[in-house]
Amino acid sequence: SLVWAATPGMLFQQDRQTSLQPLSLSWVFGYNSSLAVHSLMDGEDQVLLYISSHTVVIYDILGNRQYHLQGHPNVISCLCVSEDKRWVATADQGPGALIIVWDSFSGIPVRTIFESHPEEGVGAIAISRDAKYLATISAGTVQRVCVWEWTLPTEKPTCSTELRPEFGYQDYVIFNPQNPYEFVSNSKTQVVFYVWVRASAQDERTASLLSLQTFNSVVGRFSQSVFHFNNSQALTGTLAGKLVVWDTVRPRIPSEEPGARLLGMKAIKVVPMQEESITVLVVFESCIVTGDVKGQVKFYNGELKFLTCYSHSKVGPIRSISFSKTPPDPPGASPACSTSCTATSQPLIASQFDSSNSVSLTLNRNFILSTSDATALRVATDRTNFEKVMEEAKKAVNAITCHPRQTLVAAGSCCGLLKVWDYQQNKCLVSRIFPEASIQCLSYDPEGYLLAAGFTDGSVYVLDAISLLSSCKEFKFSRGPVTHISFSHDSEYLATADEKCTVTVYKRVLQNGSRCWEHLAGLHSHYKPIRSILFGVQVDSNEPRLLSLGEDRHLVEYDLNSSSKDHLVVLHRVRVEQDAVPLCLAWYPQLSTESFILTANNCYKMKLYNTTTKVCRKTLLGPTYGSPLEKIQILPTTNTVDSQLRYLAYVTKDKVGLQILPVDGNPHKSSAFICHPDGVSDLASSYDGRYVFTAGGNDCTVMKWEVNLNALDAAASLGGQDLIPFYNLLDGGREGEFFRELEDYFYYAQLCSHGIDTLETRQVSTHIALEEIPSVMRAIGFYPSEKKIEEMINEIKFSKYADTGEQVTKINLGDFLKLYINHRPAFGLSIKKIERAFQVLGYDNENGDKVIDRGDLLWLLQCRGECMTEDELAQCLTTLMGRRAGGGGSELD
């Protein structure tokens, strides 16, 4: 098999195959600094393993290559690596949480455990020294500890137990290297030791209660625990810079006995090691190694005597320490870390020994440090050399933008770090830190000379795109965090939107012979959050036009030519939705005679509005992948042969996807993939449309996705042509009862149009009049509002007006089916939604039940929303009660 034949380093020896997916992950910028970074290889090949969101990244430092292990549906919460660096176990938290064991040599997932901790997922994981067993601790309020023999084909743990609440939240676990039947976990205040026996209940023993003032000294909160390498003791590091030494109350049964019982552990002493908090504690061969908040790595022997220290002034709090694998020792080599070693100017180098009898540790065991401020360093022990391998954003990345002409992408984070990457070479070109500032949005100007940045404190910087130096003084006219920023097509205007629902415009002016920016005006133009601002070009001139879209359902266009200092003029204000909330906005490509603006709302609908009249021209079913579209961008095209082949990139709450244009409601013309399970914060596309970039917000990563349009086109073709995709969206499909009923109603509407009782010869037709659309829609169970009825009729009536100048007066069954699919609620109308509506309208009676007075209901129907007349209300109620309008008898409608 591929796993059996796999060898170290083979991942990067294979030729990268073209992905068969429309979007494939090509590179990840950034990583999860709260989890460990592991050294898989060191020497001629330097390979790291770390976590980025829901992806395991294997990174070849010298070759600047990445290999991605994908399979988790949620952000990975914990990981562990076997001692031989081959087996990697990862786990996540959230719906459908998984435990996956990977072969790091081949990149193949060799075991997946489903529903290991179905309530909350996994909070901590460890692998035994022989790599046969996994220990996991759930992330729920009531934690469950499980031991898994992951090589066996079973979905059940070998044994498990629940922890008592007084143990605190256990967030770290590790096996005893000498005995896989023992492991230890700790919370900030409690340490728990375990012994497990196959096919029997697990037994956990909490250590004797250790208060923070035991031994007449401050112990501090616990960080990590380890087993001692040569005796029955265990150690726990604390944030007070101390080590707690645990020992058994009575001697253990020999560890070879599978049924060995840990009779109890007691803190025998607390050893003050240093002033600084100990954040990492590991056992390395015959040394005990600590890492602290000042970036120091200290080595101690088995008696906790200090041996040496590695430190650097620019290293932050250490999150993990990972040593390289030990190559075979040459003949005559002494142990790498002897108790007779002393700290010298070359740490851990046994320089006092004869070189023929010893080998310096530095030639064999370099190590990787990761810090809590998202920096990874490689430490070469022969030179005490700290080499920075990665330096990424330590806080949320909320803003990305692509250069309009070069292979550059800029990313800004909440820690004030602004980085520009060459995404072709996957290298950082330049960066700048804005102290005590948080970047919220970014935008290049169309020429690519300037980069504008909006901050959470309301300030706006206009930077040189190459050096990232300020090209003018900062502006601070926004009263809240700047959420959107954009340049006009001619780079003469810069517009921003902020959390206070204000649009602010800046203008480029000539002062003292040089071009600079000045504040033009601002306007509180919305009363709910602004979702998009968009510059365009006037149809009859080359002048810029500016629009903003808000959750208040208004699309506002501004008159830039008429605006003056401190006075921003509104040209049009149009309500674009009746009940749905618009979420994003884009200029629709010129695929027909008519020009459109494209919006997407929270009801999974996409709408096309005429750019001049702002009238809704089409309503279409959008992608339905768990959450509505949050951001959309038209992919740039370099196809000069067929300009009609255009595509749309979009992100939902946690996915990135592509959509073939024109949008028509066909579900097979779109696809989506999980990109950031905890939420996508921004979207950008390269200038040539070959790559799409997503920012993950709190997961601190930016992902580069390679676009394969041929794969998307192939998937759409396999979904069927013409009406086949739409038939499949109906209950029962083309041959189902629902469609037969729809046909009956459609042809019954034809009969009604000629009169039911007429004796004249009927003309058979495949069309019905547009006036019959509402009746047929209601007959098949879709009850649109009067506003939606108007939009449906106008959509068909003016569908050919721009091309022929004529109005359409009738509709055939195929077009009616598309109209129904695109306009009906994406997931139907549930009884719960109806109940919620009555709960809003009603009030609580004396028994606490929701009720509504009949008079109040009748008043609301006649006076609020789309008001009904008294005759309409009477007719509807009569019909609902199954009675004829004239009284007597009943008629089922």
Side-chain angles (χ1 to χ4, degrees), residues 526 528-532 548-555 581-582:
H526 296 269
K528 285 189 176 181
I530 296 174
R531 297 294 307 205
S532 294
S548 65
L549 180 69
E551 291 184 12
D552 56 6
R553 304 179 178 88
H554 282 96
L555 177 66
V581 177

Side-chain angles (χ1 to χ4, degrees), residues 172 174 186 223-227 234-238 242-244 273 278-284 287-292 298 300 304 318-321:
Y172 184 79
I174 189 171
N186 67 261
S223 54
Q224 294 183 358
S225 300
V226 294
F227 286 93
L235 306 170
T236 299
T238 78
K242 297 176 172 61
L243 286 183
V244 179
M273 308 300 292
I278 296 175
T279 56
V280 176
L281 179 63
V282 297
V283 168
F284 158 60
C287 288
I288 294 163
V289 187
T290 65
D292 60 38
K298 296 180 179 179
Y300 302 86
L304 299 183
I318 293 177
R319 181 62 190 84
S320 69
I321 303 171

Side-chain angles (χ1 to χ4, degrees), residues 308-324:
T308 192
C309 174
Y310 289 86
S311 64
H312 193 284
S313 60
K314 294 185 179 180
V315 178
I318 293 177
R319 181 62 190 84
S320 69
I321 303 171
S322 178
F323 291 91
S324 61

Side-chain angles (χ1 to χ4, degrees), residues 705-773:
W705 301 84
E706 188 171 356
V707 175
N708 184 352
L709 299 177
N710 291 331
L712 183 62
D713 292 335
S717 298
L718 292 173
Q721 303 295 323
D722 299 325
L723 291 174
I724 294 176
F726 297 93
Y727 288 139
N728 295 333
L729 295 175
L730 299 176
D731 291 338
R734 174 69 177 82
E735 306 301 325
E737 182 180 346
F738 182 87
F739 183 73
R740 291 199 300 270
E741 203 172 281
L742 171 59
E743 284 183 311
D744 291 342
Y745 285 129
F746 191 81
Y747 292 119
Y748 180 73
Q750 287 187 359
L751 296 177
C752 291
S753 65
H754 294 97
I756 295 293
D757 300 323
T758 182
L759 297 177
E760 297 178 4
T761 303
R762 299 181 185 276
Q763 294 183 350
V764 179
S765 171
T766 57
H767 296 74
I768 61 172
L770 297 187
E771 293 76 16
E772 299 293 338
I773 289 177

Side-chain angles (χ1 to χ4, degrees), residues 392-420:
E392 303 296 344
K394 60 185 177 182
K395 292 184 180 180
V397 178
N398 289 328
I400 52 173
T401 185
C402 286
H403 196 282
R405 298 185 178 184
Q406 299 178 33
T407 59
L408 304 179
V409 59
S413 78
C414 289
C415 62
L417 176 64
L418 174 60
K419 297 184 76 170
V420 177

Side-chain angles (χ1 to χ4, degrees), residues 133-183:
Y133 309 108
L134 293 175
T136 61
I137 304 179
S138 68
T141 305
V142 178
Q143 290 187 287
R144 188 168 191 83
V145 181
C146 297
V147 176
W148 308 82
E149 294 185 73
W150 65 268
T151 56
L152 300 181
T154 176
E155 293 296 319
K156 300 295 183 182
T158 303
C159 55
S160 64
T161 188
E162 282 190 358
L163 297 179
R164 298 194 294 273
E166 57 265 26
F167 291 167
Y169 183 81
Q170 301 284 313
D171 57 3
Y172 184 79
V173 62
I174 189 171
F175 274 94
N176 185 345
Q178 281 74 43
N179 185 357
Y181 297 98
E182 298 176 4
F183 58 96

Side-chain angles (χ1 to χ4, degrees), residues 52 63 66 178 449 451 477 543 629 690 738 837 843 864 878:
S52 295
Q66 286 185 353
Q178 281 74 43
Y449 299 138
L451 176 62
F477 291 91
E543 293 296 319
L629 306 191
R690 292 180 57 195
F738 182 87
Y843 61 91
R864 299 294 294 270
T878 302

